[in-house]
Amino acid sequence: MGVPSVMILPLLVVVLAGFYYLYNEITQFMSKSIVRNKVVVITDAVSGMGSECARLLHEGGARLVLCGLSWDKLESLSDSLCNEADPSKTFTPKLVLLDFSDMDSMPEVITEIGECYGCVDVLIFNSSMKVKAPVQNLSLELDKTVMDVNYFGPITLAKGILPLMIARRTGHFILINSIQGRLAVPFRSSYAASKHAVQAFFDCLRAEVEEYGISVSTISHTFINATTQDPAPSNSQPTNALWAYILRTLQTHGVSPKDLAGEIVKVVNGRRREVLLSHPLPWTALYIRSLLPSFFFSVVAAGVRDGPMAEQLK
């Protein structure tokens, strides 16, 4: 007795869903096994994404070097990881204080990271400083601080660790960048400029170090959802309907730290060069920015005029 034609589509959906589930399970297993015994450095490891990434990599048996601003928070994270994992299959993380805004301390930090295990297999750049304000309200000093944290700090660390990777002819740099490294948004001038700069640096680095067996990956994402709660409504909403829709969509379709951490582990395994994690709207905006720049700029300008920060421009 044959299968009724009306049942073919549901059965096909179930079969495809089963294959997709198995694919994800196998990918996650392989991603964890590939990091076993690897020396992985994570900057700003105490952030939501950093701690999630550290947890996944620690469970996979990676030898972690956790970097951050606060020693107490680093110790707390390390204790949490060790308490949740099997000590016979994992390594106690090494801890390093790292402040990208203090460029004078970078040589000592680079030396300390190198001495933890004598090598670095994967370096994950996670640190970021965000500023939201009109250009005329931002001091040059603040612009420089943002560039230190988002650009000069990461590239200084990359240059410091690079000789270790070249000597072993292996290594992997992973830059956790914002989509604003490819698509600038008003009132984020310093932030967007720093993200564009660091994106360009690692794009150049990728081509230069390929001959040494070193991989460079960039993960560009929309904003990170630190909580599952809906954002509080603003008292001042833009009157431009299109821009209001864009803002509303962006505010409700961010990336969770857990999803981003999972993507990082996949990138460690697959060594993909570039990943974009976002809702379809930012994807569309990127294409419109390239193909119809005049239309894109008009929409953005209209959003600024009607937006909640318009009063600061008067």
Side-chain angles (χ1 to χ4, degrees), residues 44-296:
D44 195 15
V46 297
S47 66
M49 194 289 298
S51 58
E52 284 287 346
C53 186
R55 181 182 62 80
L56 291 176
L57 294 170
H58 186 256
E59 290 176 354
R63 293 181 288 175
L64 295 179
V65 179
L66 305 179
C67 305
L69 292 169
S70 169
W71 187 261
D72 290 339
K73 290 183 179 179
L74 287 172
E75 284 189 324
S76 178
L77 174 59
S78 177
D79 292 342
S80 175
L81 295 176
C82 293
N83 292 335
E84 295 175 2
D86 184 348
S88 65
K89 298 179 180 180
T90 58
F91 298 89
T92 301
K94 306 279 189 179
L95 310 179
V96 175
L97 284 174
L98 170 61
D99 182 2
F100 279 143
S101 66
D102 181 10
M103 294 299 297
D104 293 336
S105 67
M106 289 303 298
E108 290 79 10
V109 171
I110 292 169
T111 299
E112 186 176 356
I113 291 175
E115 290 176 347
C116 285
Y117 289 103
C119 65
V120 174
D121 293 301
V122 182
L123 176 51
I124 301 174
F125 297 92
N126 175 50
S127 305
S128 185
M129 180 179 180
K130 299 177 178 65
V131 176
K132 181 180 180 180
V135 170
Q136 61 266 37
N137 292 357
L138 290 173
S139 67
L140 186 58
E141 194 63 34
L142 183 56
D143 288 333
K144 291 179 179 179
T145 301
V146 173
M147 289 298 294
D148 280 345
V149 174
N150 295 351
Y151 176 70
F152 286 110
I155 73 166
T156 300
L157 180 57
K159 289 183 176 184
I161 298 301
L162 185 58
L164 295 177
M165 293 185 176
I166 291 177
R168 300 172 64 235
R169 302 192 74 83
T170 184
H172 194 180
F173 292 112
I174 301 179
L175 172 67
I176 312 304
N177 208 25
S178 168
I179 194 173
Q180 291 188 52
R182 303 173 64 183
L183 184 72
V185 177
F187 305 112
R188 310 292 203 288
S189 57
S190 297
Y191 179 71
S194 65
K195 292 300 182 180
H196 271 70
V198 76
Q199 175 81 34
F201 175 88
F202 281 95
D203 283 349
C204 294
L205 180 65
R206 179 185 296 113
E208 294 180 21
V209 299
E210 186 174 337
E211 64 175 303
Y212 300 110
I214 300 171
S215 300
V216 176
S217 303
T218 58
I219 302 177
S220 302
H221 59 82
T222 53
F223 79 96
I224 297 178
N225 284 324
T227 176
T228 57
Q229 297 178 347
D230 294 332
S234 173
N235 293 328
S236 179
Q237 295 294 332
T239 57
N240 180 275
L242 180 57
W243 188 248
Y245 170 75
I246 292 173
L247 290 180
R248 184 169 63 252
T249 303
L250 290 175
Q251 291 171 354
T252 56
H253 293 88
V255 179
S256 71
K258 185 175 181 180
D259 289 343
L260 181 53
E263 194 64 34
I264 292 171
V265 175
K266 291 180 182 178
V267 169
V268 171
N269 180 31
R271 291 179 176 251
R272 283 180 292 170
R273 291 186 174 93
E274 195 165 50
V275 176
L276 178 58
L277 288 180
S278 73
H279 184 265
L281 181 62
W283 277 92
T284 304
L286 282 172
Y287 284 111
I288 293 176
R289 169 66 177 82
S290 299
L291 301 175
L292 300 170
S294 296
F295 174 74
F296 176 82

